[in-house]
Amino acid sequence: LGAEVVKGDLNDEASVEAALKGAYGAFLVTNFWDSNSKKKEVYQGKLVADVAKRLGLKHMVFSSLPNVKRLTNGKLEVEHFDGKGEVEEYFWSIGVPMTSIHVPAYFENFLTIWKPVKASDGDYYTLALPMGDIPMHGMSVADIGAVVASILNSPAEFLGKPVHLGAEALTIQQYADVLSKILGKEVRDAKITLEAYEKLGFPHVKELANMFRFYQMNLDRDVSLTYQLNPKVKSFSQFVSENQGAFKKI
């Protein structure tokens, strides 16, 4: 394919410099969950920003998220959002040519941490996501690469701008209805409250509860632009249809 694979370590400035040297641009994704550390994620992102600035990269695309703590004046803290938001702010502040993309909830989460759970009192499954009747935007992670490629191919249109991605927004009951229809198993919205969700006690439950509180603010997403950037973006129904085998293992 003509691609040169280069090893890089986001904790090692020399290796980041070697990876980016001679590049026109780059797509950066940092991963809070690797270390469960906002401090480490911010360090990695700022390191890449500094190297990109020094090397004179023409176009960075950064997978960001809102700085919830700043936007809510400290009322909510969502560390895996806030760190990315801090890094985005740093990129802008030092003048790196950049486009930020803000991704919604990943459809893939319904195969893992949000998978339907068999009800104890009947032959049906539930989705326990505390969104009430407020729609939650989603998208498949597999559709993001083509979006980034389109952005990098259109610098005049997207440099210096944030892009808020989303394939569609559904209520939890609508997500459940799609799963029921395609999988042939009854799936319901558990209608769990934020307070009950927080008492589930799994790791990072407070972090995720605050994320859902922020999602309930019904953040704007540019669905039409998302499809413009990648006309093959999948709806949740298409995603479930294409992954029936994985869902049936649940």
Side-chain angles (χ1 to χ4, degrees):
L1 295 174
E4 180 186 355
V5 179
V6 182
K7 183 178 180 180
D9 180 349
L10 291 179
N11 297 306
D12 177 27
E13 187 170 355
S15 86
V16 171
E17 183 154 348
L20 295 181
K21 196 169 186 179
Y24 161 79
F27 174 39
L28 172 63
V29 183
T30 55
N31 186 3
F32 169 88
W33 304 107
D34 269 351
S35 60
N36 295 318
S37 167
K38 172 185 162 185
K39 183 178 180 181
K40 180 167 276 191
E41 183 174 28
V42 170
Y43 170 81
Q44 292 175 341
K46 288 184 174 181
L47 186 153
V48 174
D50 288 337
V51 172
K53 174 79 171 177
R54 188 164 66 247
L55 294 179
L57 266 67
K58 300 290 192 294
H59 196 171
M60 288 293 303
V61 178
F62 175 54
S63 183
S64 185
L65 287 167
N67 186 340
V68 176
K69 188 174 183 179
R70 181 177 61 78
L71 292 171
T72 63
N73 294 314
K75 291 176 184 174
L76 294 177
E77 189 169 2
V78 184
E79 288 198 331
H80 74 286
F81 279 46
D82 297 346
K84 290 179 176 66
E86 281 188 33
V87 171
E88 177 179 356
E89 291 157 10
Y90 185 73
F91 265 106
W92 298 131
S93 73
I94 65 172
V96 175
M98 185 187 73
T99 304
S100 65
I101 62 169
H102 286 229
V103 299
Y106 291 141
F107 291 156
E108 283 78 3
N109 287 338
F110 286 94
L111 288 165
T112 55
I113 57 172
W114 297 346
K115 65 185 179 183
V117 175
K118 183 77 179 289
S120 58
D121 62 345
D123 190 23
Y124 64 96
Y125 294 76
T126 61
L127 293 178
L129 304 182
M131 285 294 294
D133 294 322
I134 299 170
M136 181 178 73
H137 284 276
M139 184 176 180
S140 171
V141 67
D143 290 331
I144 292 170
V147 168
V148 173
S150 291
I151 289 170
L152 287 168
N153 284 325
S154 306
E157 189 174 352
F158 294 107
L159 266 173
K161 297 177 182 176
V163 175
H164 298 271
L165 300 174
E168 65 179 336
L170 302 176
T171 64
I172 302 307
Q173 186 57 56
Q174 288 172 326
Y175 281 111
D177 290 343
V178 170
L179 289 165
S180 298
K181 181 179 178 182
I182 296 172
L183 302 180
K185 298 176 181 178
E186 185 183 359
V187 183
R188 303 177 189 173
D189 177 5
K191 299 194 178 297
I192 191 168
T193 64
L194 280 159
E195 293 71 26
Y197 184 82
E198 282 185 315
K199 291 176 182 174
L200 294 176
F202 58 81
H204 306 291
V205 68
K206 177 73 172 176
E207 166 95 0
L208 294 180
N210 279 343
M211 178 190 76
F212 285 115
R213 285 187 174 94
F214 192 65
Y215 277 164
Q216 285 189 11
M217 297 176 186
N218 207 7
L219 311 173
D220 285 338
R221 298 279 170 179
D222 198 331
V223 174
S224 61
L225 178 59
T226 302
Y227 279 88
Q228 177 189 321
L229 289 164
N230 178 7
K232 295 183 179 179
V233 163
K234 291 180 284 293
S235 66
F236 186 62
S237 180
Q238 290 170 313
F239 172 79
V240 176
S241 293
E242 290 180 13
N243 290 277
Q244 282 189 64
F247 274 106
K248 285 181 177 175
K249 292 175 184 175
I250 292 172

